[in-house]
Amino acid sequence: MNLEAIKSEIEANVPGCQLEIIPNTSPSAQHSLLVDSAHALTVASFLRDGATVRLDYCSNVTGIDWPVKEVSTKTKVKKIVDGVEKDVDEVVKTQTGGYLEAVYHLYSMEQRQGPVILRMRTEDRTDRVHLPSFTPLWRSADFQEREIFDLFGIIFDGHPDLRRLLMWEGFVDHPMRRDYVDPDDYEYEPTAHDEVLKRAREHQSAEGGL
Amino acid sequence: MDEQLKSELSRQGVVATSLQELYNWGRKSSLWPLNFGLACCAIEMIATTMARYDLARFGAEVFRPSPRQADLMIVAGTVTKKMAPQVVRLYNQMPEPKYVISMGACAISGGPFKQGYNVLKGIDRYIPVDVYIPGCPPRPEALIDAFLLLQKKIDEQYLTGPNRPRHLNADMPSEFVVPEFGEHDLEPTQNRDVWKVPLVNISIAGKNESGSD
């Protein structure tokens, strides 16, 4: 069953949900399905319990950070310059990203097919980072959602035990976010290179240096 | 006592020794390691104690499950920042005299995870290390070599004088600061009484493009 068919199946059974197929242009061609977070739990439970798809196994959950990125595209536009028509490059700047994603890889053990890849997006990267938890549907999402909560800071509503998994209680950062600044402990770097060399130099000059 | 006279006497069947030698011989021949491992190096440590490599030959087979009964800590594996306070606390709970073997690249410096956000860049930032074993993971032979090195070190210690070991010097600390979980990192990030930043000229270590310095 391909993703198009699954999409139309969901649309027929879950009214009001907004789905979008995110194409994957690489040779693996693992396209994924973007689900709006309001209907995500209904869609997921349909995928698990519905008669046709029956995705009974969640193999992997991961997070992605999409920081705000400015993409400028050049387009040739005909414009009248000094009374003469000319081709002028016009640069259009658009902003992409600015949200966090949770990605679920779902399989069907019963029908021996998969993966169906579900994505959910938060509204931004700081304040509105709530997503529904799929742990009530697939127990295997438990620790992985905790890991995403820990490393990306997505808050999974409905998770039975949402605590940090790898870092300690009281740690405030989310290390897997792109804008994470790691602690400055570059005092001793025996084989420093590139970025590490730069930071080790900064550290040495701050401490008086050699 | 003169070394030559001593060896001459021992050939005649008379064993002469000093209290220092006896004391050091006793300690070096019954090192009891603390029974804990942190990562894959621990598997090599376990292999070292098993029949094939047989650490018992060197008097160190009694792995103790309690720090109160141990006098050697083998830090075998990656020390994560979450685990570091517990490692230091275990070390503090061990009675003197106590020794530390830092086993493997991770315990020495953080190893392949050195630039990770959650990995301590070497346990020697918090506790004094006697022997370092490089390797990822080091083979059992390397651990045995570290044992022999540690035994040699113990054998050469003086009981009196300014160079006497820590446990015979009341002014030296036997407990070390246990780091606390901070908002961004462990606090403090290192114990400067224990760990002196090694002098490495990074302009040599890395290529200096500017040509200056």
Side-chain angles (χ1 to χ4, degrees), chain A residues 151 164-173 175-176 180 182-193 196-197 200-201 203-204 207 210, chain B residues 81-82 109 114-119 121 125 181-186 189-190 192 195 197-203 205-209 213:
Chain A
L151 303 181
R164 281 185 178 269
L165 184 67
L166 300 171
M167 308 307 283
W168 52 86
E169 293 289 318
F171 190 77
V172 294
D173 302 327
M176 289 294 273
Y180 170 69
D182 57 332
D184 188 19
D185 48 4
Y186 289 75
E187 304 95 337
Y188 173 53
E189 297 294 337
T191 54
H193 53 86
V196 177
L197 177 65
R201 276 232 181 86
H203 209 106
Q204 281 206 353
E207 288 209 355
L210 279 167
Chain B
K81 283 177 180 169
K82 207 173 174 182
S109 69
K114 190 175 167 73
Q115 260 77 51
Y117 50 86
N118 64 337
V119 173
K121 294 177 174 184
R125 289 182 181 230
F181 293 135
E183 289 190 345
H184 304 285
D185 201 0
L186 292 174
T189 54
Q190 77 275 97
R192 282 289 167 111
W195 189 67
V197 182
L199 291 173
V200 172
N201 192 344
I202 47 172
S203 63
K207 214 188 287 170
N208 190 355
E209 296 88 352
D213 148 352

Side-chain angles (χ1 to χ4, degrees), chain B residues 48-78:
Chain B
T48 315
T49 63
M50 292 292 114
R52 189 179 183 90
Y53 296 99
D54 200 11
L55 199 64
R57 292 177 291 162
F58 309 103
E61 79 279 20
V62 203
F63 273 72
R64 305 314 296 183
S66 159
R68 301 291 187 200
Q69 302 168 346
D71 47 16
L72 169 65
M73 176 182 247
I74 304 173
V75 185
T78 318

Side-chain angles (χ1 to χ4, degrees), chain A residues 121-134:
Chain A
R121 272 180 197 169
T122 63
E123 287 176 59
D124 58 29
R125 292 175 68 250
T126 47
D127 308 320
R128 290 164 295 165
V129 288
H130 289 257
L131 288 179
S133 168
F134 285 173

Side-chain angles (χ1 to χ4, degrees), chain B residues 110-156:
Chain B
F113 314 111
K114 190 175 167 73
Q115 260 77 51
Y117 50 86
N118 64 337
V119 173
L120 186 68
K121 294 177 174 184
I123 191 62
D124 55 357
R125 289 182 181 230
Y126 291 115
I127 56 176
V129 174
D130 295 283
V131 182
Y132 297 86
I133 325 171
C136 187
R139 283 190 57 84
E141 291 94 326
L143 184 57
I144 290 173
D145 186 48
F147 259 96
L148 297 178
L149 215 61
L150 183 63
Q151 289 188 334
K152 208 170 147 192
K153 183 178 178 175
I154 294 169
D155 208 25
E156 288 166 357

